[in-house]
Amino acid sequence: MTATDAATPTAALDATALDATATDVADGGDNAATATATATAPAPAPAPDAIAQWSADPYADALRSGRGPLFLRRSDGWLLPLEVERWCASADAADMSVLRRCEGAVLDVGCGPGRLVAALSSLGHRVLGIDVSPAAVSRTVSLGGTALCRSVFDPLPGEGRWGSVLLIDGNIGIGGAPQELLERCARLLAPRGLLLAETSPLDVDERAQVHIDDGRGAQHRTDTDSGRQFPWARLGTRALLRYALPAGWSTAGQWESGGRCFVALRRS
């Protein structure tokens, strides 16, 4: 059964119902354990360049098939591999080192195909995934998760009430503006809420315009050059802390697992 087929039974839910469901997840209402949302919910006022890229082939094809190769390509030709196979597998030991630190209701930003949403549900957490890719949301729903097709910068259910927010699998790079993303996460979290972020294992603080490429030259095509690219960032742990600590975050933990690096930040 395909991810799209699995999402079909919930396709009749409208955006209002989906927002109510997601708010229920954040607030721990009676329907939180069983509610699911589908990729068909319209996202308000999306940023077109990035959303078009993450919604388009070859990214959507890779998520549906569960395999790459897939890359973020800079304008100078440098390629950043995207770990599609790992994203589409079950949560691994490194993932679990993050998930066991989660507190309260969890918002997974850029949830991708939903492995973390599924794993958190199995641990008993109320959890909502958001992603700008309908294919990602559909696959999350196929695993029994709750997900909305939204950008983190869109209006979201439960703002100011989430116990934990996840920025895993490079999602600290969303929007290419880490300070703005940290500010947005602070507004999503409850007081003293926890931000769990994955950082680059390199000591890097980089901004770039990128597009999604399958390594064989296939990329999303639009009528303008700018539509093929979107801003992205890569941050090591030191760079993230350089932005976070002056903004009022406190460090709640730093660790490595499976060759990956993670930081826990507490909202003041």
Side-chain angles (χ1 to χ4, degrees):
M1 179 169 57
T2 67
T4 302
D5 292 336
T8 300
T10 58
L13 291 174
D14 62 20
T16 301
L18 291 171
D19 279 343
T21 291
T23 301
D24 209 32
V25 171
D27 293 340
D30 293 339
N31 297 326
T34 57
T36 56
T38 175
T40 57
D49 291 352
I51 291 177
Q53 281 279 308
W54 292 110
S55 301
D57 301 331
Y59 179 71
D61 287 345
L63 289 192
R64 292 186 186 106
S65 68
R67 60 183 182 273
L70 201 66
F71 306 90
L72 292 182
R73 180 187 288 270
R74 287 192 319 218
S75 56
D76 62 3
W78 180 85
L79 296 174
L80 175 66
L82 301 178
E83 299 180 76
V84 176
E85 290 85 355
R86 181 173 63 78
W87 297 351
C88 291
S90 298
D92 60 19
D95 295 327
M96 296 306 296
S97 76
V98 177
L99 303 188
R100 291 192 183 99
R101 288 171 165 83
C102 287
E103 302 171 357
V106 184
L107 180 67
D108 184 6
V109 174
C111 66
R115 79 185 190 284
L116 302 183
V117 172
L120 281 164
S121 295
S122 71
L123 292 174
H125 282 277
R126 303 184 305 277
V127 55
L128 172 69
I130 59 168
D131 204 290
V132 298
S133 164
V137 174
S138 181
R139 184 152 179 154
T140 301
V141 170
S142 77
L143 298 177
T146 305
L148 289 174
C149 197
R150 300 283 171 86
S151 163
V152 66
F153 296 107
D154 289 334
L156 293 172
E159 295 198 13
R161 300 194 296 277
W162 294 98
S164 302
V165 169
L166 300 182
L167 290 172
I168 307 301
D169 298 330
N171 285 328
I172 190 66
I174 289 173
Q179 290 166 298
E180 293 180 14
L181 184 57
L182 286 170
E183 291 172 3
R184 177 59 174 144
C185 290
R187 294 194 299 273
L188 291 168
L189 283 165
R192 302 295 298 164
L194 195 64
L195 174 63
L196 295 154
E198 183 171 357
T199 58
S200 171
L202 304 176
D203 186 13
V204 63
D205 185 357
E206 177 186 88
R207 312 291 182 278
Q209 293 289 320
V210 300
H211 65 256
I212 298 170
D213 195 301
D214 66 359
R216 298 184 294 270
Q219 58 179 282
H220 179 56
R221 303 289 182 179
T222 66
D223 293 334
T224 65
D225 288 341
S226 62
R228 293 200 300 267
Q229 294 189 328
F230 57 93
W232 199 254
R234 285 199 308 152
L235 274 73
T237 295
R238 289 205 299 179
L240 176 57
L241 295 178
R242 214 165 34 239
Y243 295 119
L245 299 182
W249 296 89
S250 60
T251 306
Q254 300 178 48
W255 70 100
E256 297 183 15
S257 180
R260 298 162 61 193
C261 300
F262 304 97
V263 177
L265 298 170
R266 180 77 65 185
R267 180 189 169 189
S268 300

